[in-house]
């Protein structure tokens, strides 16, 4: 940790408060909860981080949503599994995030992500240089005497080529954790199971949960990672959400584990002559490096303060348990777990920015985590609506009419009786239609529920 509190170098408090530079211009208005508009809760961050995010929007047209989410991802990768949360003696939570930046072509999603993970890339670059030197020394030693030195290991934080075997191998050699990232997640998801059915999805589901992952190689060498810590982020175009998250990925809970970043408004990417001051880049790099060094030099197990724990249980126990659709339940349950992970990240960010070592998670950090949960819940619902509405449009006019006439919950007999009155569809066609798991959920034999309207 630095001896001084992290500050944006050479940027005065007068300038910080000056709206003429547009850094925080309109921030209060932006943060107001507008009906039917989901605003990223920027106030979960310290003021100087808010300042950086707004300046990136002003100078480089980076969406506040994309930048904020990418920063959370970068912090989580920097932490690895070295800072964890003890909820109970038998319940330890890590900060793993699975994120998807959703948008249109040209929305600078990838640029936002690249900026936010660049300090981690620099750490990896330096590690690679060190690895090459050690490798050369090892090769030289092996030619001079029979007893060779132990082969060096490449230490890295990020990985953008992540087959299941590559993931386990890299994580095995980097036990503190690994961050996966890709520009186009759709291509990766669509390549699932080319060689072994279910392998990729199973590996990611296990990684998200922090479960042990094992790779048995043809050579006989086994690799096992017990303290698993994997973060994942990537981009996807809104228009291909339905084809990417098809029925199987909806059924097995795969989609529920992802945090969707979907701005309520897109920032127009208009070129300008404004530029980001180097002080901001330096400050952000110092922030990431300080978090990385803090985690790398110590193992910290956080706990909630008594008042935070009381608030957590009260909040969770009063969560809604009745939902109009089953997918809402899946989203809600996974996001409750994410509240714990968000709490770790928010507490670490606030502590490091104050030059403090995090020891407990405060009530304020928890409340900020809950605000962040609400943001991601609304985004997830929007994504499911996009997927369902697109699929609805693919139905025939007859299928749409049948769907319109059916009650929310109905039996096969009630459906057939409706058909006899309306003369819309043959019984055989209706029974085949009921097999469409994106339209109907089978509650029990002969009983169904509509999933889309």
């Amino acid at each position: 940790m630095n001896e001084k509190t992290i500050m944006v170098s050479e940027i005065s408090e007068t300038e910080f408060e000056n709206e003429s530079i547009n850094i925080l211009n309109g921030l209060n208005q932006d943060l107001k909860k507008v009906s039917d508009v989901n605003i990223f809760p920027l106030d979960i961050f310290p003021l100087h981080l808010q300042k950086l995010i707004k300046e990136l929007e002003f100078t480089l047209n980076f969406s506040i949503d994309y930048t904020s989410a990418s920063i959370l991802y970068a912090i989580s990768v920097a932490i690895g599994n070295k800072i964890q949360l003890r909820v109970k003696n038998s319940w330890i939570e890590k900060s793993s995030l699975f994120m998807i930046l959703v948008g249109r072509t040209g929305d600078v999603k990838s640029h936002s992500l690249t900026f936010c993970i660049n300090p981690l890339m620099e750490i990896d670059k330096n590690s690679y240089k060190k690895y090459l030197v050690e490798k050369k020394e090892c090769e030289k030693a092996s030619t001079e005497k029979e007893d060779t030195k132990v082969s060096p290991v490449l230490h890295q934080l990020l990985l953008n080529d992540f087959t299941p075997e590559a993931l386990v191998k890299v994580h095995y050699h980097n036990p503190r954790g690994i961050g996966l990232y890709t520009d186009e997640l759709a291509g990766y998801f669509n390549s699932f199971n080319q060689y072994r059915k279910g392998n990729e999805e199973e590996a990611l589901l296990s990684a998200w949960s922090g479960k042990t992952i094992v790779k048995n190689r043809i050579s006989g060498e086994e690799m096992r990672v017990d303290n698993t810590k994997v973060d994942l982020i990537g981009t996807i175009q809104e228009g291909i959400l339905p084809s990417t998250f098809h029925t199987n990925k909806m059924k097995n809970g795969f989609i529920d584990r992802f945090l969707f970043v979907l701005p309520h408004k897109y920032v127009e990417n208009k070129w300008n002559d404004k530029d980001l001051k180097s002080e901001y880049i330096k400050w952000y790099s110092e922030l990431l490096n300080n978090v990385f060094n803090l985690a790398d030099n110590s193992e910290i197990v956080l706990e909630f303060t008594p008042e935070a724990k009381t608030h957590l249980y009260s909040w969770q126990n009063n969560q809604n348990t009745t939902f109009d659709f089953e997918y809402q339940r899946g989203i809600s349950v996974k996001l409750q777990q994410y509240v714990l992970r968000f709490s770790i990240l928010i507490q670490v960010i606030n502590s490091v920015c104050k030059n403090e070592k995090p020891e407990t998670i405060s009530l304020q950090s928890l409340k900020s985590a809950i605000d962040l949960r609400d943001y991601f819940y609304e985004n997830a619902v929007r994504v499911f609506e996009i997927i369902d509405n697109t699929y609805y449009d693919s139905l025939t006019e007859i299928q749409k009419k049948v769907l319109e006439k059916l009650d929310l919950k109905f039996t096969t007999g009630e459906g057939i009786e409706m058909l006899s009155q309306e003369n819309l569809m043959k019984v055989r066609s209706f029974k085949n239609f009921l097999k469409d798991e994106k339209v109907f959920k089978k509650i029990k034999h002969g009983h169904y529920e509509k999933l889309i309207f």
Side-chain angles (χ1 to χ4, degrees):
M1 300 284 289
N2 291 342
E3 293 183 358
K4 64 177 182 178
T5 302
I6 299 177
M7 299 289 286
V8 181
S9 305
E10 301 176 10
I11 298 179
S12 68
E13 291 302 314
T14 302
E15 185 179 15
F16 176 71
E17 296 172 357
N18 188 351
E19 289 189 350
S20 65
I21 62 172
N22 290 287
I23 294 174
L24 292 176
N25 186 28
L27 178 60
N28 292 332
Q29 289 74 20
D30 285 347
L31 289 175
K32 289 180 180 177
K33 188 69 177 179
V34 182
S35 177
D36 297 326
V37 175
N38 193 29
I39 307 292
F40 189 94
L42 199 58
D43 55 355
I44 67 169
F45 294 128
L47 281 176
H48 283 83
L49 195 50
Q50 295 181 40
K51 183 178 180 181
L52 168 68
I53 294 167
K54 290 295 290 184
E55 184 69 3
L56 284 167
E57 180 190 41
F58 178 63
T59 60
L60 298 175
N61 299 318
F62 287 1
S63 163
I64 287 175
D65 300 65
Y66 296 149
T67 304
S68 301
S70 298
I71 288 172
L72 289 170
Y73 166 83
I75 293 291
S76 187
V77 175
I79 287 173
N81 55 23
K82 306 297 287 293
I83 302 178
Q84 303 182 10
L85 166 65
R86 180 186 289 114
V87 186
K88 297 184 178 182
N89 288 334
S90 58
W91 184 357
I92 302 295
E93 196 72 34
K94 288 167 260 190
S95 65
S96 299
L97 304 178
F98 277 22
M99 283 184 165
I100 300 180
L101 311 184
V102 183
R104 309 166 301 179
T105 301
D107 280 328
V108 294
K109 302 180 293 295
S110 298
H111 293 80
S112 303
L113 173 58
T114 300
F115 176 89
C116 294
I117 65 175
N118 188 64
L120 304 180
M121 290 179 170
E122 288 296 318
I123 294 174
D124 277 357
K125 184 192 295 184
N126 292 330
S127 296
Y128 184 67
K129 290 178 181 178
K130 181 180 178 182
Y131 165 77
L132 290 179
V133 172
E134 293 175 347
K135 183 180 178 183
K136 188 174 182 179
E137 292 176 351
C138 183
E139 291 171 347
K140 181 180 179 181
S142 65
T143 61
E144 295 177 350
K145 48 188 175 181
E146 293 183 4
D147 295 329
T148 61
K149 293 177 64 177
V150 176
S151 298
V153 172
L154 175 60
H155 294 289
Q156 60 189 109
L157 298 171
L158 298 169
L159 180 67
N160 62 358
D161 176 16
F162 43 93
T163 62
E165 182 167 337
L167 169 58
V168 178
K169 181 179 179 180
V170 174
H171 199 336
Y172 177 80
H173 292 300
N174 294 272
R176 79 187 307 279
I178 199 73
L180 310 177
Y181 73 98
T182 179
D183 278 344
E184 293 294 341
L185 269 176
Y188 174 65
F189 289 159
N190 292 333
S191 70
F192 273 9
N193 311 330
Q194 286 184 344
Y195 305 105
R196 181 179 170 189
K197 188 174 182 180
N199 197 30
E200 286 88 347
E201 280 190 35
E202 290 171 7
L204 284 183
L205 290 172
S206 295
W208 185 90
S209 301
K211 295 179 180 177
T212 297
I213 52 178
V214 179
K215 188 65 181 178
N216 298 314
R217 307 181 72 185
I218 296 176
S219 63
E221 180 186 4
E222 292 187 352
M223 292 185 174
R224 176 186 176 101
V225 180
D226 289 306
N227 193 8
T228 308
K229 171 58 161 65
V230 176
D231 294 280
L232 170 62
I233 195 168
T235 66
I236 194 170
Q237 294 181 35
E238 184 176 322
I240 60 176
L241 281 170
S243 60
T244 302
F245 291 99
H246 47 71
T247 305
N248 289 339
K249 292 185 179 65
M250 302 279 278
K251 284 174 58 181
N252 65 4
F254 182 78
I255 190 174
D256 299 334
R257 287 163 170 78
F258 282 90
L259 301 167
F260 290 95
V261 184
L262 192 61
H264 75 281
K265 65 176 182 179
Y266 291 114
V267 178
E268 294 299 327
N269 187 19
K270 294 182 178 180
W271 293 2
N272 57 62
D273 61 356
K274 307 176 187 71
D275 204 356
L276 184 68
K277 292 183 178 180
S278 60
E279 289 86 355
Y280 287 101
I281 300 173
K282 178 182 177 183
W283 178 82
Y284 179 67
S285 180
E286 288 177 355
L287 173 64
L288 260 289
N289 276 276
N290 283 340
V291 172
F292 172 78
N293 291 329
L294 169 68
D296 218 40
N297 296 323
S298 59
E299 294 188 2
I300 301 172
V301 180
L302 301 171
E303 294 186 1
F304 286 108
T305 62
E307 60 178 355
K309 181 173 286 190
T310 299
H311 186 80
L312 172 68
Y313 292 153
S314 175
W315 170 81
Q316 195 276 338
N317 291 340
N318 286 283
Q319 286 294 288
N320 183 29
T321 57
T322 58
F323 300 90
D324 294 329
F325 303 101
E326 188 61 28
Y327 75 78
Q328 294 172 333
R329 183 186 308 278
I331 296 169
S332 179
V333 170
K334 289 296 180 289
L335 282 175
Q336 289 177 26
Q337 192 168 350
Y338 264 124
V339 165
L340 305 175
R341 302 181 181 194
F342 296 154
S343 296
I344 299 172
L345 298 172
I346 294 169
Q347 186 63 57
V348 168
I349 292 171
N350 280 284
S351 294
V352 171
C353 284
K354 295 176 182 178
N355 196 38
E356 298 173 351
K357 182 178 180 179
E359 296 179 352
T360 58
I361 292 179
S362 68
L363 176 60
Q364 184 55 52
S365 292
L366 172 61
K367 288 182 176 180
S368 294
I370 292 172
D371 289 342
L372 195 54
R373 173 266 176 209
D374 294 343
Y375 165 82
F376 281 114
Y377 180 83
E378 293 300 322
N379 277 353
V381 171
R382 286 174 63 195
V383 166
F384 271 83
E385 289 174 348
I386 290 170
I387 294 172
D388 287 344
N389 289 340
T390 305
Y391 190 75
Y392 176 82
D393 292 338
S394 70
L395 300 177
T396 67
E397 290 303 316
I398 292 177
Q399 288 174 326
K400 291 177 182 177
K401 289 179 180 178
V402 170
L403 202 56
E404 180 183 345
K405 295 292 183 180
L406 290 169
D407 293 332
L408 175 61
K409 294 183 178 180
F410 61 94
T411 64
T412 306
E414 291 169 345
I416 292 174
E417 182 179 353
M418 180 273 293
L419 292 177
S420 66
Q421 296 174 355
E422 302 290 340
N423 194 27
L424 289 173
M425 181 185 287
K426 293 181 179 179
V427 173
R428 179 181 295 179
S429 298
F430 175 65
K431 289 184 176 180
N432 286 331
F433 188 29
L434 290 177
K435 297 176 183 178
D436 191 332
E437 295 176 337
K438 293 196 71 174
V439 180
F440 303 105
K441 176 188 175 184
K442 186 175 182 179
I443 302 174
K444 60 182 180 179
H445 180 71
H447 291 253
Y448 294 87
E449 178 181 357
K450 291 194 298 186
L451 298 179
I452 61 177
F453 300 92

